[in-house]
PDB file of all heavy atoms in Angstrom:
ATOM      1  N   LEU A1375      17.009   0.059 -10.316  1.00  0.00           N
ATOM      2  CA  LEU A1375      16.366   1.191 -10.957  1.00  0.00           C
ATOM      3  C   LEU A1375      16.607   2.424 -10.112  1.00  0.00           C
ATOM      4  O   LEU A1375      16.889   2.321  -8.916  1.00  0.00           O
ATOM      5  CB  LEU A1375      14.851   0.962 -11.076  1.00  0.00           C
ATOM      6  CG  LEU A1375      14.374  -0.212 -11.934  1.00  0.00           C
ATOM      7  CD1 LEU A1375      12.892  -0.466 -11.695  1.00  0.00           C
ATOM      8  CD2 LEU A1375      14.648   0.061 -13.409  1.00  0.00           C
ATOM      9  N   GLY A1376      16.475   3.584 -10.708  1.00  0.00           N
ATOM     10  CA  GLY A1376      16.483   4.807  -9.928  1.00  0.00           C
ATOM     11  C   GLY A1376      15.159   4.962  -9.208  1.00  0.00           C
ATOM     12  O   GLY A1376      14.393   4.004  -9.083  1.00  0.00           O
ATOM     13  N   PRO A1377      14.837   6.145  -8.717  1.00  0.00           N
ATOM     14  CA  PRO A1377      13.523   6.351  -8.102  1.00  0.00           C
ATOM     15  C   PRO A1377      12.418   5.983  -9.095  1.00  0.00           C
ATOM     16  O   PRO A1377      12.440   6.422 -10.248  1.00  0.00           O
ATOM     17  CB  PRO A1377      13.522   7.852  -7.775  1.00  0.00           C
ATOM     18  CG  PRO A1377      14.978   8.207  -7.642  1.00  0.00           C
ATOM     19  CD  PRO A1377      15.686   7.355  -8.651  1.00  0.00           C
ATOM     20  N   LEU A1378      11.481   5.153  -8.647  1.00  0.00           N
ATOM     21  CA  LEU A1378      10.431   4.616  -9.510  1.00  0.00           C
ATOM     22  C   LEU A1378       9.077   5.130  -9.037  1.00  0.00           C
ATOM     23  O   LEU A1378       8.700   4.925  -7.874  1.00  0.00           O
ATOM     24  CB  LEU A1378      10.456   3.087  -9.448  1.00  0.00           C
ATOM     25  CG  LEU A1378       9.380   2.339 -10.241  1.00  0.00           C
ATOM     26  CD1 LEU A1378       9.641   2.462 -11.742  1.00  0.00           C
ATOM     27  CD2 LEU A1378       9.337   0.870  -9.812  1.00  0.00           C
ATOM     28  N   GLU A1379       8.341   5.806  -9.897  1.00  0.00           N
ATOM     29  CA  GLU A1379       7.002   6.249  -9.528  1.00  0.00           C
ATOM     30  C   GLU A1379       6.090   5.031  -9.384  1.00  0.00           C
ATOM     31  O   GLU A1379       6.131   4.117 -10.201  1.00  0.00           O
ATOM     32  CB  GLU A1379       6.446   7.206 -10.581  1.00  0.00           C
ATOM     33  CG  GLU A1379       7.191   8.519 -10.655  1.00  0.00           C
ATOM     34  CD  GLU A1379       6.597   9.447 -11.705  1.00  0.00           C
ATOM     35  OE1 GLU A1379       5.362   9.399 -11.913  1.00  0.00           O
ATOM     36  OE2 GLU A1379       7.368  10.203 -12.314  1.00  0.00           O
ATOM     37  N   ASN A1380       5.264   5.042  -8.346  1.00  0.00           N
ATOM     38  CA  ASN A1380       4.507   3.823  -8.055  1.00  0.00           C
ATOM     39  C   ASN A1380       3.428   3.498  -9.083  1.00  0.00           C
ATOM     40  O   ASN A1380       2.924   2.374  -9.116  1.00  0.00           O
ATOM     41  CB  ASN A1380       3.925   3.837  -6.642  1.00  0.00           C
ATOM     42  CG  ASN A1380       2.863   4.883  -6.402  1.00  0.00           C
ATOM     43  OD1 ASN A1380       2.366   5.538  -7.307  1.00  0.00           O
ATOM     44  ND2 ASN A1380       2.494   5.052  -5.127  1.00  0.00           N
ATOM     45  N   VAL A1381       3.084   4.440  -9.965  1.00  0.00           N
ATOM     46  CA  VAL A1381       2.112   4.129 -11.020  1.00  0.00           C
ATOM     47  C   VAL A1381       2.666   3.133 -12.033  1.00  0.00           C
ATOM     48  O   VAL A1381       1.905   2.560 -12.823  1.00  0.00           O
ATOM     49  CB  VAL A1381       1.641   5.413 -11.748  1.00  0.00           C
ATOM     50  CG1 VAL A1381       0.857   6.309 -10.801  1.00  0.00           C
ATOM     51  CG2 VAL A1381       2.813   6.161 -12.377  1.00  0.00           C
ATOM     52  N   HIS A1382       3.987   2.894 -12.020  1.00  0.00           N
ATOM     53  CA  HIS A1382       4.586   1.950 -12.964  1.00  0.00           C
ATOM     54  C   HIS A1382       4.497   0.497 -12.486  1.00  0.00           C
ATOM     55  O   HIS A1382       4.840  -0.422 -13.241  1.00  0.00           O
ATOM     56  CB  HIS A1382       6.045   2.312 -13.214  1.00  0.00           C
ATOM     57  CG  HIS A1382       6.241   3.682 -13.786  1.00  0.00           C
ATOM     58  ND1 HIS A1382       5.552   4.128 -14.884  1.00  0.00           N
ATOM     59  CD2 HIS A1382       7.054   4.713 -13.388  1.00  0.00           C
ATOM     60  CE1 HIS A1382       5.921   5.378 -15.159  1.00  0.00           C
ATOM     61  NE2 HIS A1382       6.823   5.748 -14.272  1.00  0.00           N
ATOM     62  N   VAL A1383       4.031   0.274 -11.246  1.00  0.00           N
ATOM     63  CA  VAL A1383       3.940  -1.096 -10.734  1.00  0.00           C
ATOM     64  C   VAL A1383       2.822  -1.867 -11.439  1.00  0.00           C
ATOM     65  O   VAL A1383       2.968  -3.052 -11.762  1.00  0.00           O
ATOM     66  CB  VAL A1383       3.740  -1.094  -9.203  1.00  0.00           C
ATOM     67  CG1 VAL A1383       3.552  -2.520  -8.677  1.00  0.00           C
ATOM     68  CG2 VAL A1383       4.939  -0.428  -8.513  1.00  0.00           C
ATOM     69  N   TYR A1384       1.698  -1.204 -11.699  1.00  0.00           N
ATOM     70  CA  TYR A1384       0.565  -1.882 -12.345  1.00  0.00           C
ATOM     71  C   TYR A1384       0.958  -2.471 -13.705  1.00  0.00           C
ATOM     72  O   TYR A1384       0.726  -3.671 -13.954  1.00  0.00           O
ATOM     73  CB  TYR A1384      -0.617  -0.910 -12.472  1.00  0.00           C
ATOM     74  CG  TYR A1384      -1.742  -1.388 -13.359  1.00  0.00           C
ATOM     75  CD1 TYR A1384      -2.815  -2.104 -12.833  1.00  0.00           C
ATOM     76  CD2 TYR A1384      -1.734  -1.128 -14.729  1.00  0.00           C
ATOM     77  CE1 TYR A1384      -3.855  -2.535 -13.643  1.00  0.00           C
ATOM     78  CE2 TYR A1384      -2.757  -1.562 -15.549  1.00  0.00           C
ATOM     79  CZ  TYR A1384      -3.822  -2.266 -15.011  1.00  0.00           C
ATOM     80  OH  TYR A1384      -4.843  -2.697 -15.826  1.00  0.00           O
ATOM     81  N   PRO A1385       1.551  -1.696 -14.635  1.00  0.00           N
ATOM     82  CA  PRO A1385       1.909  -2.324 -15.918  1.00  0.00           C
ATOM     83  C   PRO A1385       2.985  -3.392 -15.774  1.00  0.00           C
ATOM     84  O   PRO A1385       3.038  -4.330 -16.576  1.00  0.00           O
ATOM     85  CB  PRO A1385       2.390  -1.145 -16.774  1.00  0.00           C
ATOM     86  CG  PRO A1385       2.705  -0.045 -15.825  1.00  0.00           C
ATOM     87  CD  PRO A1385       1.800  -0.238 -14.653  1.00  0.00           C
ATOM     88  N   PHE A1386       3.852  -3.287 -14.770  1.00  0.00           N
ATOM     89  CA  PHE A1386       4.867  -4.309 -14.505  1.00  0.00           C
ATOM     90  C   PHE A1386       4.194  -5.637 -14.154  1.00  0.00           C
ATOM     91  O   PHE A1386       4.525  -6.684 -14.717  1.00  0.00           O
ATOM     92  CB  PHE A1386       5.768  -3.832 -13.371  1.00  0.00           C
ATOM     93  CG  PHE A1386       6.825  -4.809 -12.935  1.00  0.00           C
ATOM     94  CD1 PHE A1386       7.880  -5.137 -13.763  1.00  0.00           C
ATOM     95  CD2 PHE A1386       6.774  -5.384 -11.669  1.00  0.00           C
ATOM     96  CE1 PHE A1386       8.869  -6.031 -13.352  1.00  0.00           C
ATOM     97  CE2 PHE A1386       7.756  -6.265 -11.240  1.00  0.00           C
ATOM     98  CZ  PHE A1386       8.807  -6.592 -12.085  1.00  0.00           C
TER      99      PHE A1386
END
Side-chain angles (χ1 to χ4, degrees):
L1375 297 168
L1378 177 71
E1379 293 181 33
N1380 66 10
V1381 294
H1382 300 310
V1383 176
Y1384 168 91
F1386 177 68

